[in-house]
Amino acid sequence: MSRETWFAPQGGTSDEWLAWANRLPLADDLGMTCGRLGDGEGVFHLARAPLTPNPNGGVNGGLVAAAADQVMGALGMMEAPDGHAIATASLTVQFQRPALAPLTFHGRTTKRGRTLVFIDVDVLDGDGRLCSSAKGTMMVVPFAQP
């Protein structure tokens, strides 16, 4: 994805942000789709595990963490000013039960400062049960010049 494509939604409509989130390469790699993105919230879906599931049938915890980080990055980018990007400053994931696909990732921006964005993500299984919860801090950084 080119830098221009990455920053295309700045000042865009909610439909433009949604289209952008669904073009992100890592979301594609993970098999995630974004169903809603705006007003400090995002909902992403993971229909199946992109790699072999754990012996218990659950999605690997590292993949759950990567998917939660992807949700946080998308929400954080909506808060970043033009010419800036988002970098993960911290990420904590708690696993409450096996994450059996399909999974829904519901993210919420909880606080926005000048250089930091705080985001929570709940991971729900197909029955709506909480599997994992993630908290992250995203850092607003100037986009690196080539």
Side-chain angles (χ1 to χ4, degrees):
M1 177 177 273
S2 72
R3 182 168 71 196
E4 291 76 25
T5 304
W6 241 85
F7 290 104
Q10 292 294 326
T13 66
S14 59
D15 286 341
E16 289 171 323
W17 276 103
L18 186 61
W20 168 82
N22 281 305
R23 287 193 316 266
L24 293 171
L26 183 59
D28 187 52
D29 291 344
L30 294 171
M32 293 177 73
T33 57
C34 182
R36 182 166 46 103
L37 187 62
D39 296 325
E41 293 194 30
V43 177
F44 286 72
H45 304 281
L46 181 73
R48 63 178 207 65
L51 298 173
T52 304
N54 291 333
N56 64 7
V59 177
N60 176 277
L63 292 173
V64 171
D69 188 50
Q70 180 72 11
V71 173
M72 292 177 189
L75 285 167
M77 280 300 294
M78 293 191 77
E79 301 290 336
D82 197 20
H84 289 74
I86 291 294
T88 305
S90 71
L91 173 64
T92 303
V93 183
Q94 293 185 331
F95 302 99
Q96 287 92 1
R97 69 175 62 242
L100 303 174
L103 300 175
T104 299
F105 294 77
H106 182 235
R108 295 166 305 291
T109 300
T110 59
K111 185 175 180 182
R112 163 75 162 94
R114 189 176 55 79
T115 59
L116 298 174
V117 182
F118 299 88
I119 300 170
D120 292 347
V121 178
D122 289 334
V123 183
L124 308 171
D125 67 14
D127 293 327
R129 295 178 301 187
L130 182 67
C131 301
S132 305
S133 54
K135 289 187 175 288
T137 306
M138 306 305 282
M139 185 174 22
V140 178
V141 296
F143 196 77
Q145 298 299 315

